[in-house]
Amino acid sequence: MHLHGLPLILLLGLLGALAVAGLTLLSARLSHPRPAGPFAPSHALPPPAGSRLAAAFAPRLAAEPGLTAVHLLLDPLDALAARLELIEAAESSVDLQYYIWQDDTAGALMLGALRRAAARGVRVRMLIDDNGTHGLDDTLSTLESLENFDIRLFNPFPLRRARWLGYLADFHRLNRRMHNKAMVVDGALAVLGGRNIGDEYFNRFAPTGLYMDLDLMAAGPIVPQVAAQFDLYWNSALSIPVAALLAPLAPDRAEACLAAQAARLATPEARDYARALAAPDMPLLSPDLTLSFGPATLLFDPPEKITGPIAARRMLWARLLRALGQPREELVLISPYLVPTRAGVRVLGRYAKAGVKVRLFTNSFAASDVPLVHSGYAHRRRPLLKRGVEIWEFAPDAEIRHPPASFLRPRLRGTAPFARNKLHAKVFITDRARIFIGSFNFDPRSMRLNTELGLVLENPVIAAKMASAFEGYIPARAWALKLDREGKITWCRAGEAPTRREPGTGFWSGVALGLAKRLPIEWML
């Protein structure tokens, strides 16, 4: 058989791409070899005797033996203020584990608080997935050189600048990321949930707007488990010390790096924001802080999920199904990135057929920041609707048209006007009795590729409060999807005429979405 014309060009292009990939792999491994371990292990420190954080809720925990105390961090300002308050109160240790750490105002505020903690003798351990450290190499090198400050990068890229070339060299590994988000302070209190560290999670400075998200502060028997989970990742062979990856900075570059952080925080907006953070309506450590008590189960994937397949029983999603239990009356799934797959459609459909009210809340195409992921969800909507599943899609102008009400605080102190134009919270609720809050999205990536972390609370008070958001908050801020008489999807919203045209799509985006639906990429969305 002879190849001519287009087939020959395609074959030559494929061979060229393979050659580039091979050369990239060889170059990356020769010029940027993976640092050889093992690296010195370290472990969580116990709560120091008589520490402020250990004593903060001790009487209330003693009155509820064996139960975990939880305080929801709904308001973005409070969520960052809580983290800063805990770091400033730390006496022995701060352990932080995040998927993304942005080089912006929120990131600089957190790093400033951590520097001050390390300077007063607090041991700081930062573990960040290397996919979320763009532009931070100099900053991380500077901080790593400080006493009491240790930083490791999880699953690092071999090339520091053109990182995308690393995918050509090692796609299987680099396509799998640590998506966990947690902070443990003095071994006594933990913060975990859906927020990374960056302006788009806490304030209006991010040009793309503000995520609607959810964290919680936990105290009690669950905290040592979160700390042990951190140690497991910290001591993993995939966690590489910054000092082993990055060359030390010259003194002048280190000074310039710190000066840039200070300049960012010296802007009028940043100073106003910092003042608002320093004066919360209710400090986290106040004896009057609202706490809710109940049994809690920590769920997380083992770090070796990154290196290849592991038994399903060890994965978070399998344990999550058991912990949430079989829904009998109601199932609420809030997931910004929703890719239910054919199997998910069948399961949710069975629940709906059995009389369970199944309600999904996700981003609309207009609100999504990852349109490609939306393509993995869009073609599953009609089968879900046919089976009786409710679907709501968040509208990007939600908080412009409708100020926050019951679901979030009445106003956002010091940072208005906000535009919550993206959903980012990951919350699953069964029968208003059990609730999951964490980093896990309802998609194949969270199930099979990334590692995830979260809590299941057997707490009817919190579960009912969050489920009630559908009645008091979501309908006015989202499109309800319906099937018309012809079986076509229509988007319905109060004050608007129903439409068959998907909100936010134009001609070309509609074409691209239609093509993306047909690509064999659902497994990695």
Side-chain angles (χ1 to χ4, degrees), residues 248-266:
L249 287 186
D252 58 336
R253 282 185 65 185
E255 290 178 10
C257 179
L258 295 177
Q261 296 286 319
R264 174 177 278 115
L265 298 180

Side-chain angles (χ1 to χ4, degrees), residues 66-73 190 192-193 214-223 225-226 290-299 319-320 322-325 426-438 453-466:
L67 301 184
T68 292
V70 170
H71 175 75
L72 293 183
L73 297 170
L192 63 163
L214 177 64
D215 293 317
L216 58 82
M217 184 280 295
I222 204 69
V223 177
Q225 298 179 40
V226 181
T290 300
L291 294 176
S292 186
F293 291 83
T297 303
L298 182 71
L299 305 177
R319 298 178 62 210
L320 176 61
R322 293 193 296 270
L324 283 176
K426 305 98 165 55
V427 181
F428 308 150
I429 310 164
T430 301
D431 294 336
R432 305 197 175 206
R434 294 172 298 280
I435 180 170
F436 169 84
I437 299 172
L453 171 69
L455 281 184
V456 170
L457 307 173
E458 295 182 41
N459 193 314
V461 173
I462 291 178
K465 177 181 180 181
M466 297 301 296

